């Protein structure tokens, strides 16, 4: 009798009928857990480590008889034993609508256990009003201060300039990049100039592609005008442990918006994964909140005491740290060879790799480089063995794109107006540079009024175009992913420039190792989204 037959014989017909409502099958060794209560799903998973019974047998013996079994289990394990890992077995999904770009970045700082989908400034315009008001956050502390009118005036000016120039910018880009100069695929599958499209459906398809591309480009250019108070939406999927820590972080915030988000999110998560997030604001949670607040306070006080404030020179990307190339190559090669070098310790492999000649090291690195046929074929983990630290001073709008990368260390400062702002060339070409700068100067004026007494709240008035300080520390494998992804033709021109410069700096420091960054695109494009929109349209047509 094989294992499958043992499974088949484990349950009676009546038990199978019960199980059919809670599992995808009752007679196979692989099955999905479909029981509706999230707390029961997680508890069943966790029970695997504490019983020799099968999961479905545990469910019949323990859970079907007691509707509170899952919650009781978690109360005991989480609260009595503090076994945090079991909190990862519960998963929730939350949507937050109408939060600022300050709050959404705080949420998205959490790198592990949570996934995000945020409203895009590239595909959605912010020119609409709700009840006669533009969509930006009225920060409570600012609104209660004598600077409230100045804050409202600044944000309104941003949205007025943005909205007023949306259609003119679309018209300008159409004039600069006319549809007649673009090529599109016809029904025969050939790329031809727009004028040579003969089929009505081909013409309609080309116009859809072109319209989407032009709008994305216009929104890319204008987004720098928007203030950080701009309201957005975000969807979050994650496990209970990550949600609990997110709630704790938000509860510890000095910003009322973030505290209120924590309170409201907690109420909603209690409806689905209550047992997994209850410690975020209980006694244990408040102790952790106090600890997190103390970290911020001590960091600020030590900075004021021991650091001298100096105005930095303007730059885009600077490499601050990287190993000497021979040392880095030996570590990468040791990582590459370790798994299949049975019997040798990492230390011994590293000693031998350090003795290899430059031609041998180059041959090994080149071999693994040549194996990659596209950017989705990630380099082996051995390329994680050397790291780089970059200082960046980019506009805040661009930071929001790089902020999505998780497998790296990113630390950032509070938003400020002290580093100046970047002006897209299209703003100048359209003749609206003065309007653009009026928005920046007004925001800086209000920021200066607020920042002494309310430095965190003052961030809300800062425009996306203002330059922003942060650093990134990442290994070569992740640098390969980031650079190749962020230099694809459809990427925003701002982050494409940053990723391209990161590649040049790595290549200058590690000429041989940098070859693994094989699919970097160093070209510039007038309509970044065009090829991507073409691919989307082809898929749409195939699907009918």
């Amino acid at each position: 009798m094989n294992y499958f037959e043992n499974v088949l014989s484990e349950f009676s017909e009546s038990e199978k009928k019960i199980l059919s409502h809670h599992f995808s099958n009752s007679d196979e060794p692989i099955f999905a857990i479909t029981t509706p209560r999230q707390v029961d799903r997680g508890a069943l998973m966790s029970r695997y480590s504490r019983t020799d019974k099968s999961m479905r047998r545990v469910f019949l013996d323990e859970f079907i008889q007691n509707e509170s079994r899952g919650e009781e289990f978690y109360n005991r394990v989480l609260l009595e034993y503090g076994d945090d890992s079991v909190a990862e077995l519960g998963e929730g999904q939350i949507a937050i609508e109408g939060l600022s770009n300050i709050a959404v970045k705080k949420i998205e700082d959490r790198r592990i256990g949570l996934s995000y989908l945020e409203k895009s400034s590239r595909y959605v315009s912010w020119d609409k009003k709700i009840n006669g008001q533009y969509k930006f956050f009225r920060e409570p502390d600012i609104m209660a201060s004598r600077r409230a009118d100045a804050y409202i005036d600044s944000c309104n000016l941003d949205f007025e300039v943005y909205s007023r120039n949306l259609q003119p910018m679309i018209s300008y880009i159409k004039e600069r990049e006319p549809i007649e100069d673009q090529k599109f695929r016809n029904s025969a599958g050939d790329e031809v100039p727009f004028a040579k499209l003969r089929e009505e459906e081909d013409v309609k398809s080309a116009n859809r592609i072109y319209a989407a591309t032009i709008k994305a480009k216009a929104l890319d250019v204008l987004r720098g005008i928007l203030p950080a108070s701009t309201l957005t939406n975000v969807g979050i999927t994650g496990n209970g442990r990550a949600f609990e820590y997110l709630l704790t972080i938000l509860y510890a915030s000095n910003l009322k918006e973030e505290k209120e988000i924590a309170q409201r999110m907690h109420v909603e998560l209690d409806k689905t994964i209550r047992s997994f997030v209850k410690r975020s604001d209980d006694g244990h949670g408040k102790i952790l909140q106090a600890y997190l607040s103390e970290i911020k306070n001590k960091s600020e006080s030590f900075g004021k005491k021991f650091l001298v404030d100096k105005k930095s020179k303007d730059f885009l990307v600077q490499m601050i740290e990287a190993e000497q190339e021979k040392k880095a190559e030996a570590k990468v090669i040791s990582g590459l060879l370790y798994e299949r070098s049975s019997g040798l310790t990492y230390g011994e492999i590293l000693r031998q790799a350090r003795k290899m000649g430059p031609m041998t090291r180059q041959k090994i690195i080149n071999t693994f480089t040549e194996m990659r046929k596209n950017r989705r074929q990630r380099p082996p983990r051995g390329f994680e063995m050397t790291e780089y630290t970059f200082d960046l001073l980019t506009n805040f709008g661009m930071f929001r794109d790089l902020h999505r990368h998780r497998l790296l260390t990113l630390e950032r400062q509070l938003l400020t107006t002290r580093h100046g702002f970047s002006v897209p060339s299209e703003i100048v070409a359209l003749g609206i540079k003065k309007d653009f700068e009026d928005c920046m100067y007004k925001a800086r004026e209000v920021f200066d009024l607020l920042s002494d007494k309310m430095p965190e709240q003052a961030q809300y008035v800062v425009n996306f175009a203002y330059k922003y300080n942060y650093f990134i520390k990442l290994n070569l494998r992740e640098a390969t992913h980031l650079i190749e992804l962020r230099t694809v033709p459809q990427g925003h021109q701002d982050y494409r420039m940053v990723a391209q410069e990161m590649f040049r700096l790595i290549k200058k420091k590690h000429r041989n190792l940098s070859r693994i960054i094989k699919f970097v695109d160093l070209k510039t494009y007038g309509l970044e989204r065009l090829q991507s929109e073409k691919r989307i349209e082809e898929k749409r047509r195939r699907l009918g």
Side-chain angles (χ1 to χ4, degrees):
M1 183 179 288
N2 61 32
Y3 175 71
F4 288 86
E5 289 172 333
N6 282 328
V7 172
L8 283 168
S9 64
E10 184 176 358
F11 307 113
S12 67
E13 290 303 316
S14 60
E15 288 174 330
K16 288 181 181 181
K17 188 173 181 179
I18 294 171
L19 292 172
S20 68
H21 299 292
H22 301 276
F23 299 89
S24 61
N25 69 70
S26 59
D27 51 13
E28 295 287 343
I30 300 174
F31 51 90
I33 309 167
T34 60
T35 192
R37 284 163 48 87
Q38 181 66 242
V39 68
D40 290 343
R41 295 187 194 186
L44 281 165
M45 292 287 286
S46 185
R47 283 286 285 127
Y48 259 166
S49 66
R50 292 169 169 83
T51 182
D52 60 356
K53 296 179 181 179
S54 70
M55 181 183 289
R56 288 170 293 198
R57 175 52 62 194
V58 169
F59 182 78
L60 291 169
D61 290 352
E62 301 178 18
F63 288 74
I64 205 68
Q65 309 297 332
N66 179 4
E67 289 188 1
S68 303
R69 180 69 180 92
E71 192 159 342
E72 290 171 358
F73 175 84
Y74 274 104
N75 286 340
R76 188 175 74 254
V77 173
L78 283 174
L79 299 182
E80 294 180 20
Y81 301 121
D83 189 353
D84 287 348
S85 63
V86 302
E88 295 178 8
L89 300 176
E91 189 173 88
Q93 290 184 305
I94 284 286
I96 308 174
E97 299 183 353
L99 75 166
S100 75
N101 272 263
I102 297 297
V104 78
K105 292 307 117 188
K106 173 64 75 65
I107 289 170
E108 291 173 355
D109 277 338
R110 314 279 71 75
R111 297 174 297 180
I112 299 173
L114 299 172
S115 298
Y116 313 99
L117 280 174
E118 183 187 343
K119 182 178 177 180
S120 172
S121 60
R122 165 171 267 185
Y123 305 111
V124 182
S125 62
W126 266 266
D127 56 334
K128 308 292 189 302
K129 291 183 177 181
I130 297 179
N131 297 325
Q133 294 186 326
Y134 285 116
K135 292 184 280 188
F136 62 88
F137 186 66
R138 275 74 176 167
E139 204 288 322
D141 289 329
I142 296 177
M143 298 307 292
S145 75
R146 58 194 179 95
R147 310 300 185 189
D149 289 343
Y151 173 77
I152 293 293
D153 289 345
S154 180
C155 292
N156 274 333
L157 176 63
D158 296 336
F159 280 88
E160 286 165 6
V161 172
Y162 175 94
S163 303
R164 185 170 68 241
N165 288 289
L166 181 55
Q167 286 307 316
M169 183 60 71
I170 288 174
S171 299
Y172 164 71
I173 295 172
K174 283 183 176 180
E175 182 180 334
R176 190 187 72 179
E177 307 282 352
I179 193 171
E180 290 78 14
D181 289 355
Q182 316 306 323
K183 290 184 177 181
F184 302 91
R185 196 176 299 278
N186 62 20
S187 298
D190 301 318
E191 284 262 326
V192 299
F194 177 76
K196 292 189 177 181
L197 295 174
R198 299 290 177 253
E199 301 291 334
E200 182 181 357
E201 186 55 39
D202 292 344
V203 174
K204 288 181 179 179
S205 174
N207 277 302
R208 281 195 296 267
I209 293 168
Y210 182 71
T213 303
I214 294 295
K215 182 180 179 182
K217 180 68 176 180
L219 293 179
D220 275 351
V221 172
L222 292 172
R223 76 175 184 181
I225 300 171
L226 296 171
S229 59
T230 300
L231 298 179
T232 186
N233 303 329
V234 65
I236 312 171
T237 298
N239 66 58
R241 185 178 189 177
F243 268 120
E244 183 178 77
Y245 189 54
L246 170 60
L247 290 174
T248 305
I249 291 283
L250 295 175
Y251 276 128
S253 173
N254 294 327
L255 294 175
K256 290 181 178 177
E257 179 191 14
E258 292 172 358
K259 285 181 176 292
E260 184 175 353
I261 288 171
Q263 292 162 359
R264 289 173 177 262
M265 191 190 307
H266 201 162
V267 169
E268 300 309 316
L269 287 171
D270 275 352
K271 297 174 183 177
T272 55
I273 54 170
R274 181 177 179 224
S275 297
F276 302 95
V277 297
K278 62 172 55 180
R279 297 179 304 171
S280 58
D281 199 38
D282 66 2
H284 298 285
K286 290 188 185 301
I287 291 171
L288 181 53
Q289 291 169 33
Y291 167 71
L292 295 171
S293 296
E294 188 178 8
I295 288 175
K296 287 188 288 189
N297 294 336
K298 291 297 183 184
S299 176
E300 183 177 357
S301 64
F302 282 143
K304 289 178 179 178
K305 183 175 182 180
F306 298 114
L307 298 180
V308 178
D309 188 14
K310 292 183 178 181
K311 183 172 176 57
S312 61
K313 294 180 180 179
D314 192 26
F315 67 96
L316 186 66
V317 189
Q318 295 177 340
M319 182 182 284
I320 305 303
E321 288 182 314
E323 294 178 303
Q324 187 267 339
E325 184 162 27
K326 182 179 178 181
K327 181 179 179 181
E329 286 181 358
K331 290 169 67 175
V332 168
I333 289 170
S334 298
L336 292 171
L337 304 185
Y338 182 82
E339 182 182 5
R340 296 295 174 173
S341 301
S342 181
L344 291 176
T345 65
Y346 174 76
E348 179 56 37
I349 297 171
L350 181 61
R351 281 190 288 273
Q352 294 187 37
R354 286 171 176 165
K355 294 178 181 178
M356 291 177 182
M359 296 301 291
T360 300
R361 296 198 305 272
Q362 184 173 329
K363 180 180 179 180
I364 293 172
I365 298 298
N366 286 351
T367 297
F368 285 97
T369 298
E370 290 166 5
M371 291 167 63
R372 296 187 68 216
K373 303 305 179 188
N374 59 66
R375 68 177 176 86
R376 287 180 173 79
Q377 294 180 341
R378 300 290 301 276
R381 285 188 175 180
F383 286 93
E384 296 178 3
M385 298 303 292
T386 191
E387 296 180 320
Y388 311 92
T389 302
F390 294 97
D391 243 337
L392 294 103
L393 182 60
T394 73
N395 63 68
F396 178 60
M398 203 225 75
F399 161 79
R400 293 160 64 253
D401 295 308
L402 290 188
H403 188 235
R404 296 171 186 159
H405 291 268
R406 300 278 172 245
L407 299 180
L408 45 75
T409 297
L410 187 156
E411 284 290 345
R412 59 197 183 94
Q413 297 178 350
L414 296 180
L415 278 172
T416 180
T417 60
R418 68 177 294 180
H419 304 301
F421 52 87
S422 54
V423 185
S425 59
E426 292 86 354
I427 294 289
V428 178
L430 186 59
I432 60 170
K433 184 181 179 184
K434 182 181 183 305
D435 287 347
F436 185 92
E437 290 180 340
D438 284 347
C439 292
M440 302 302 126
Y441 297 146
K442 180 64 175 177
R444 185 175 66 190
E445 176 188 314
V446 178
F447 179 86
D448 289 344
L449 293 172
L450 294 169
S451 57
D452 283 345
K453 293 184 178 180
M454 293 186 285
E456 291 192 51
Q457 290 82 352
Q459 295 179 96
Y460 284 95
V461 80
V462 179
N463 309 84
F464 286 11
Y466 270 104
K467 296 180 181 179
Y468 189 43
N469 267 128
Y470 53 104
F471 76 78
I472 290 176
K473 184 181 180 69
L474 76 175
N475 61 56
L476 178 53
R477 187 172 187 242
E478 179 59 17
T480 302
H481 168 67
L482 185 153
I483 291 168
E484 291 180 348
L485 176 64
R486 294 303 177 184
T487 60
V488 294
Q490 64 265 35
H492 192 289
Q493 59 185 354
D494 287 351
Y495 67 63
R496 291 190 78 250
M497 286 192 297
V498 167
Q500 289 166 349
E501 184 60 20
M502 290 173 72
F503 170 72
R504 294 186 186 102
L505 291 169
I506 291 175
K507 184 176 181 180
K508 183 177 179 180
K509 188 71 178 181
H510 291 162
R511 187 167 187 83
N512 189 26
L513 286 172
S514 66
R515 291 188 174 95
I516 196 64
I517 311 175
K518 192 175 178 181
F519 301 102
V520 57
D521 187 333
L522 298 176
K523 293 183 283 190
T524 58
Y525 301 89
L527 291 177
E528 296 91 352
R529 284 291 306 172
L530 184 60
Q531 295 305 317
S532 181
E533 291 297 335
K534 287 179 182 179
R535 289 192 291 270
I536 292 171
E537 180 64 19
E538 285 178 23
K539 291 176 183 177
R540 183 186 294 119
R541 293 181 70 173
R542 282 199 302 269
L543 293 170

